Amino acid sequence: MDKINLTIFTPTYNRGYILKNCYESLCRQINKNFIWLIVDDGSTDNTEELVNTWIKENRIKIVYIKQKNAGKHVAHNTGVLNCNTEMFVCVDSDDYLTDDAVKVIYDNWGYIKLNNSLAGMIALRGHNHQEALGTRMPKGINKCKISDLYQKYGFKGDTMMVFKTDILKRNLFPVFEGEKFVTEAVIYDKIDQNYEMMLLDKILYICEYLEDGYSRNIQEVHRKNPIGYIYFLTQRIEFAKNRSERYRAVANYLAGCWSVKYKHPIKNSNYKMLCILAFPKAIYIYIKRSIKIFFMKLKFWFD
């Protein structure tokens, strides 16, 4: 077998009831030259028993680490720090890969590896193998920053990102005592400062959002983890490229502070005057988000 250059990382917490879907998809890979690194964030279900059974089956190479429950971002740090391959991709416990995903990653990695301006690759997520979870990649663009994909080229939806491990090791998640969530955008924004990503207009990752997942409960997650959320909003202000972008970031900061009941957002900001100027925009953003969340909850109740 060739040298293993890819780690497929899965953070999990009490997902024993569905983790098998991810496992079976990895066992179906055309190219099995990878390590499946599972970081169990303190599960109390049968996850450990299941994984030990799969390790004994020896169908794929599995490394299992169990830690005290600390949140997905801490599990991600644990995964990155225990990764010994040059590529790292996160596949959530309720999702799975297309059968050719590993092969496609290897097919494209040579170009990425030799390009020092690239941090990795962005591919598509899908509801299934044919239907993308959002738009397709912009035509005629084969690389760009993560933020530019959305803001400049109008991409909508979620993606799968494969990173150079050494870059992730230099950009770990911040950890705040008593909090168990920091958005992945904190890391993406940091990487954006120095690198671009290769774009691949192909679905490699099949995604399903469950009722117990972060995505469906993001407002409540932010309220329970306000320090990490404010850190993200503040970092967005610091990374703004121009006055217009900083104005929007400050407005979003204020609206975010109000949503998590963070006290004295203007007093605690380094941009007090800009906060005052952005106040009307922040009110608009806060009201618009509140209305959107209300109708999302209404739809959920009636579905």
Side-chain angles (χ1 to χ4, degrees), residues 43-83:
S43 293
T44 56
D45 63 358
N46 65 334
T47 295
E48 186 170 1
E49 180 184 350
L50 273 174
V51 174
N52 284 331
T53 299
W54 297 336
I55 291 173
K56 290 176 183 176
E57 289 179 358
N58 200 30
R59 297 169 67 189
I60 56 175
K61 184 171 178 57
I62 301 174
V63 174
Y64 176 74
I65 299 173
K66 189 164 187 175
Q67 66 178 29
K68 181 180 177 181
N69 181 251
K72 181 180 177 181
H73 66 302
V74 178
H76 192 280
N77 285 351
T78 300
V80 169
L81 292 172
N82 283 275
C83 178

Side-chain angles (χ1 to χ4, degrees), residues 5 23 32 36 46-47 56 79 90 114 125 167 182 209-210 231 240 258 280 297:
N5 289 322
Y23 171 62
K32 293 186 174 63
W36 189 24
N46 65 334
T47 295
K56 290 176 183 176
C90 179
L114 295 174
R125 293 194 189 197
I167 292 176
V182 175
Y209 293 120
L210 301 180
Y231 178 94
W258 297 335
K297 288 182 177 179

